[in-house]
Amino acid sequence: MSADNSSGERYLDLPGGRTLAYAETGNISSKTVVLYLHGAFTIGDASKPSPVLLSKDIHFISPTLPGWGNTSPPPPSTSYNDCLTSDMSALLTHHYPDSNIHDIKLYIAGGSFGTVPAQILYGAPYDIFPFGHCVSGVLLMDPISPFRYHKDYAKCMTWSNYFMTGPVAYYMPFNLMVRLMKFVLARKVATVEGAGAFLRETLFDRMDQAERETFARWWEARGRALGETERMMAENIVKSVSKSWVGLMLMSHVLHSDWGFRPDELDEEHSRPHVLLMAGKDDHLAPVAYAQYLAANYKNAEIKYVDGGHLAILYHIDEVWAEFLANEQ
C-alpha cells in the first residue's frame, strides 16, 4: 500500500497489477465502517466529511470506483460486478485482516451513480462479497433504479441523460454515442476552470432562488469561502478523468446490466438491512421516480424527500447522516 500525502489519497495494490485508490478518515481502527461510493465525474474523497461522521466512532472509507481517477479499470473479460465486489472485498480485508467478519458493522452508502455499486454490493451473493453478512444499513442518496427491470426509467430522463445513459447510448453499436459525448466533455473539463463552468451549467445555474439561498446558508454555516465547494468539485472532476475515461464509458452498460439480483426478489437475509432512500424533489439527473421504484421493490426500504435539485442532499447531509445512523445503531 502507498499514499499520496499531498491529497490524502491512498493506493492498494490489487492482483494483476491493478490499483485501488481510496480516501479515509475517522477512527481507522473502528469496526463500525461507512463505505461511501461516489457518483460520476468525481473520486473517493474524505477531505470534508460531515461533522456527524466525525462525532461518532466510525471508520469512513471512500474508494474511487473502477475506471475513475487513479483506480484501474476492470480487467479484460471481467464483469463490473465481479470487479467491484473483488475490489471492495480486498479493501475491507486489507483494513480488517484478522477480524471476525461478524464483528464488523458495515454501512454502505452511495450518491447518484454511486448508488448503483452500492446496490450491487447490497444484493451480491455472500460467497462473492462475504462482507455482505455484516451490512447493517444502506443509504442511497439521489438513487438510480436498475434500468433492466424499471421499464419506465427513460420517461423521466432529460435529453442529455437520454443520450448519455439511456436507450440511445445503450443500444447504439460500439458505444458511439458515449464516445461522442466524451469528445465534447473532454474539452469542457480539461481544466479546473472549465470543469467549474460545466458544473455551473449543469447544476448551479438550475437552482431557483430559494435553493440558492439554502445553499449559501449551508456553506456559510460550514465556514467555507464563496466558491470553495464548487472549486473542490471541479478539481475532482478533472482528477476523475485524468488517467482515462473508462469510468464514463462503462456507465451506460452498468446501468442497463444485470446487477446480480432483482430488487423485488432479494431473499430475507439480504433484505434484513434497512434501506434509506433520499431524493431531491426537483432532481433532473436522478428523478424521484427512480427512488419511488426502489421504495416499492425493496422489502425494507423507506423514502424521504428534500426540497431542491441534484445538489439538495449536499446541504442537508448532516441531517441525513444523523437520521441514518440514529436509525441503524
Side-chain angles (χ1 to χ4, degrees), residues 81 120 146-149 170 252-260:
N81 289 16
I120 291 172
F147 294 170
R148 186 183 185 93
Y149 302 116
Y170 182 63
S252 176
H253 171 74
V254 173
L255 291 170
H256 289 265
S257 69
D258 181 357
W259 296 354

Side-chain angles (χ1 to χ4, degrees), residues 163-164 168-169 172-188 245 248-249:
F163 286 106
M164 182 176 286
V168 175
M172 186 169 286
F174 308 114
N175 219 7
L176 287 177
M177 182 56 65
V178 182
R179 292 178 186 278
L180 175 61
M181 296 299 290
K182 171 198 164 184
F183 176 77
V184 174
L185 289 172
R187 297 186 176 187
K188 291 188 174 185
W245 286 75
L248 174 69
M249 303 301 288

Side-chain angles (χ1 to χ4, degrees), residues 1-2 9-15 18-24 28 33-38 44 59-66 71 83-98 104 106 121 129-131:
M1 187 194 78
S2 58
E9 190 170 66
R10 297 180 179 275
Y11 309 107
L12 180 64
D13 294 332
L14 299 172
R18 294 181 63 249
T19 298
L20 172 63
Y22 68 96
E24 62 184 340
I28 62 173
V33 182
V34 170
L35 184 70
Y36 177 76
L37 304 168
H38 63 79
H59 182 189
F60 179 82
I61 310 175
S62 182
T64 296
L65 294 169
T71 292
C83 178
L84 175 74
T85 52
S86 176
D87 286 1
M88 296 305 105
S89 294
L91 179 62
L92 292 169
T93 299
H94 168 73
H95 282 92
Y96 302 98
D98 303 316
I104 298 170
L106 177 63
L121 294 177
F129 184 59
F131 288 90

Side-chain angles (χ1 to χ4, degrees), residues 48 51 215-229 318:
K48 297 285 185 180
F215 181 55
R217 288 194 298 270
W218 174 78
W219 58 253
E220 286 175 358
R222 295 176 77 92
R224 296 188 180 182
L226 181 64
E228 180 184 352
T229 297
D318 295 343

